[in-house]
Amino acid sequence: MFPVRQPWLCKALGCYDCCIRCIGAVPYPSLVATLLCYIGMALFCGCGHEALTQTEVLVETYFARNVQDYVVMASFIKYFQYVIYGLASFFFLYGILLLAEGFYATSAVKQTFGEFRSTQCGRCLSLTFIIVTYILAFIWLAVFAFSAIPVFFLFNMEQTCHNINLLAETTASINQHSWICMDARQYGLLPWNAVPGKSCGMTLTSICKTSEFHLTYDLYIAAFAGAGVTLLALFLYLIATTYNYAVLRFLGRKGIR
């Protein structure tokens, strides 16, 4: 590898070779992780925000008659939507920082541009990114698990409606399957004294046929997928930042300051 900082050498190599050398200096793991992070956060924040709004509409319309029964849930949804705004902003800035750290620390950059050096501050910065990313990965693992709860609830609700439809085709009396219910109180959406708090029989089936239900279900699935993509991006960030830190430590031991 020849140092590109010599202008006459760039002319001798030509624009094509210089472009190839510059492309080789791109930290592709950090770039892929950044793209995945932005895609995942866009899905999680956008779909999650709208899914929470639709959840409030479903509960208010079909599972609760008194406003006091779902006022706590409505407050939680409101505050969590503000948290979503903060998450989107934080991960947007953090992704830029990790990508910039990848450009700084990648070995391809150091081989191509001789003026870059491994410093004590650079190694400390890389170690800080590793620790912060580890903490974020553990936190986001909990978020990923938490985002599966509404998907599980709506999946069970859809399967219950399917079972009611099968029973309705095989039995003549509606009362024989009116005992099959979906109770929102069991999932913590409503307090135990909420009225009615549950939907049963053909009433539940009619809810499953509404566009609000299908929209909410699809939005929660997309938000769950977005959380998974973001978690994958954090794991890729961990691999990239750990490798970058190892490279910086190696260069420091070789005496490159």
Side-chain angles (χ1 to χ4, degrees):
M1 301 289 285
F2 298 98
V4 179
R5 56 181 177 177
Q6 299 180 10
W8 62 270
L9 189 56
C10 271
K11 296 179 180 179
L13 291 174
C15 293
Y16 176 78
D17 291 334
C18 288
C19 290
I20 294 299
R21 292 164 66 86
C22 290
I23 292 175
V26 175
Y28 290 103
S30 296
L31 182 61
V32 172
T34 302
L35 292 177
L36 289 177
C37 181
Y38 288 166
I39 293 173
M41 287 306 299
L43 284 173
F44 179 80
C45 294
C47 296
H49 183 279
E50 187 61 26
L52 290 173
T53 303
Q54 294 296 325
T55 300
E56 184 177 359
V57 174
L58 281 176
V59 173
E60 179 182 358
T61 305
Y62 302 106
F63 291 94
R65 297 172 185 169
N66 191 355
V67 178
Q68 298 299 324
D69 291 338
Y70 60 88
V71 64
V72 176
M73 186 199 69
S75 300
F76 173 79
I77 289 176
K78 178 181 178 181
Y79 291 133
F80 195 78
Q81 285 176 337
Y82 285 117
V83 171
I84 286 177
Y85 300 146
L87 283 174
S89 303
F90 171 78
F91 274 93
F92 176 76
L93 295 176
Y94 192 68
I96 293 177
L97 290 176
L98 287 179
L99 183 60
E101 190 269 345
F103 272 103
Y104 166 77
T106 181
S107 60
V109 171
K110 290 181 172 58
Q111 291 177 1
T112 306
F113 301 99
E115 64 270 16
F116 281 79
R117 292 292 183 265
S118 172
T119 62
Q120 186 71 24
C121 179
R123 293 193 293 271
C124 181
L125 186 63
S126 295
L127 182 60
T128 302
F129 278 127
I130 292 175
I131 296 174
V132 173
T133 307
Y134 263 110
I135 295 174
L136 287 176
F138 279 111
I139 294 175
W140 201 256
L141 186 62
V143 174
F144 177 67
F146 178 77
S147 63
I149 296 177
V151 177
F152 177 72
F153 171 75
L154 294 176
F155 174 78
N156 285 343
M157 188 172 174
E158 186 180 45
Q159 290 299 311
T160 304
C161 292
H162 179 68
N163 293 335
I164 294 175
N165 290 329
L166 291 178
L167 289 175
E169 294 176 358
T170 57
T171 58
S173 176
I174 298 178
N175 295 327
Q176 292 186 12
H177 52 78
S178 61
W179 57 271
I180 302 178
C181 302
M182 201 66 194
D183 198 338
R185 297 170 296 186
Q186 294 180 346
Y187 294 86
L189 297 177
L190 295 173
W192 284 107
N193 58 352
V195 178
K198 62 181 180 179
S199 294
C200 305
M202 300 308 296
T203 303
L204 179 61
T205 304
S206 62
I207 297 174
C208 293
K209 293 179 180 179
T210 60
S211 59
E212 293 86 357
F213 172 79
H214 291 286
L215 177 61
T216 306
Y217 192 19
D218 293 339
L219 287 172
Y220 273 121
I221 292 176
F224 177 70
V229 172
T230 305
L231 184 62
L232 176 61
L234 289 174
F235 285 147
L236 289 178
Y237 275 137
L238 281 175
I239 296 173
T241 52
T242 303
Y243 171 77
N244 292 336
Y245 178 72
V247 169
L248 291 175
R249 288 297 301 269
F250 174 76
L251 292 176
R253 292 178 179 178
K254 296 293 288 186
I256 304 178
R257 300 293 180 182

